[in-house]
Amino acid sequence: MNPLSPNGECFPQAVTAGPGEHAVFIVYRLKKTPATLDAVKDVCANFAALVRSMQNRFPDQEFSAVTGFGAEAWSALFPERPKPAELVPFREIKGAAHTAVATPGDLFFHIRTRKMGLCMELAGILADKLKGVVEPVDETHGFRFHDGRDIIGFVDGTENPAVDDHVYRFAVIGDAEPEFRGGSYAFAQKYLHDMEAWNALSVEEQEKVIGRRKFNDVELSDEEKPANAHNAVANLGDELKIMRANMPFANTVKGEYGTYFIGYASTFSTTRTMLEHMFVGEPAGNTDRLLDFSTPVTGTLFFVPSFALLGELGE
Ligand code: HEM
């Protein structure tokens, strides 16, 4: 069933939107202070209006923003409320060669729009509201690269669920968790790439790592595609998809080139299975070749409530 009820009571946050032109990803930890709960409630109560205001003020800028909670924060802030079934702190996945690290995070914001200045306007308002009750974990600024490519030069997002109904089914919680209908599980994972090693590969070798042609994004045939190509390993079939909105980021003076992976799913088990296939392999040992050039430095699971539930959390 479509999680959108006719009166919009379970209206999801923008978990089905595309990656956009600019994106800012922010992760905070909460401090234990007497003011923490009220400050977070203030953000919850006002988040929809803050987003709406930006959308009204800049109607052609495709503004959207998402907020979510880590498992520990949810329990600490809302002890009287039930917890989404799959909201637990992300458990590290350790394969023989690669590790998907687990890192802390209580509050998550993903702000997207056509102009970086507008991302920063909302980010600044949120920082003001949370002043004194949070400590920063990470802020990453992503940008659209050429025609929607990763910083490693491949078009990203092609095999996302496309038809509206499918996007909702895969990205937004429906009947499986009625109390959390309209919500989503967001997994955020910041990767750094070894660009020297990557650029030392020929284009043909890089195409075997991703499983698609670099220039025109055409998928390699079954005969051409190695079993450890990224799109072979991460592909769980047509019935198990997630909505990805990855963004490249870079800091040239630090020599940092990366991908901020963000995947929204109606059930986290789908995302976790993809990660297990990438980091451990299925069968074990068939790990994702992309990981030979990409190392995750964060990994955190968040629950993104529907706008209706977010409003309730603010009461
Ligand atoms: C370094 C980080 C990553 C990069 C640069 C990256 C890049 C890409 C690219 C270029 C594609 C092919 C185009 C497309 O269909 O979107 C792709 C496909 C895909 N990726 Fe990733 N990805 C990364 C991490 C991940 C992670 C962590 C997951 C899952 C948790 C994931 C899941 C998928 C899936 C499901 C597909 C589609 C496979 C198919 O059905 O063909 N990716 N990725």
Side-chain angles (χ1 to χ4, degrees), residues 56-84:
N56 288 342
R57 289 166 64 198
F58 306 101
D60 54 353
Q61 296 302 312
E62 293 167 18
F63 190 93
S64 73
V66 168
T67 186
F69 300 88
E72 286 169 12
W74 183 273
S75 304
L77 293 164
F78 315 115
E80 74 290 355
R81 285 187 174 272
K83 201 156 118 175

Side-chain angles (χ1 to χ4, degrees), residues 203-234:
V203 168
E204 289 72 22
E205 286 170 313
Q206 291 181 349
E207 290 176 339
K208 290 197 161 77
V209 175
I210 298 296
R212 306 187 78 93
R213 295 267 173 246
K214 192 171 188 179
F215 179 69
N216 65 8
D217 188 34
V218 171
E219 189 176 1
L220 298 192
S221 66
D222 289 350
E223 294 73 46
E224 289 169 306
K225 196 191 288 184
N228 65 357
H230 176 57
N231 71 343
V233 172

Side-chain angles (χ1 to χ4, degrees), residues 150 152 154-160 187 189 191 193 210 212 217 219 225 230-232 234-237 240-242 244 246 259 261 270-272 274-275 278-279 288 290-291 294-295:
D150 291 317
I152 56 173
F154 281 78
V155 175
D156 197 349
T158 307
E159 290 298 335
N160 263 332
F187 183 65
Q189 199 181 29
Y191 284 86
H193 299 297
I210 298 296
R212 306 187 78 93
D217 188 34
E219 189 176 1
K225 196 191 288 184
H230 176 57
N231 71 343
N235 181 353
L236 304 183
L240 290 174
K241 286 185 169 255
I242 62 174
R244 296 168 286 126
N246 299 354
T259 299
F261 171 86
T270 305
T271 317
R272 187 160 176 105
M274 288 175 180
L275 291 165
M278 289 173 66
F279 285 82
D288 194 326
L290 180 55
L291 297 177
S294 319
T295 306

Side-chain angles (χ1 to χ4, degrees), residues 33-64:
T33 81
T36 303
L37 183 59
D38 283 347
V40 174
K41 283 191 166 185
D42 177 40
V43 169
C44 294
N46 289 296
F47 195 74
L50 289 169
V51 173
R52 217 166 39 239
S53 163
M54 294 299 284
Q55 289 169 340
N56 288 342
R57 289 166 64 198
F58 306 101
D60 54 353
Q61 296 302 312
E62 293 167 18
F63 190 93
S64 73

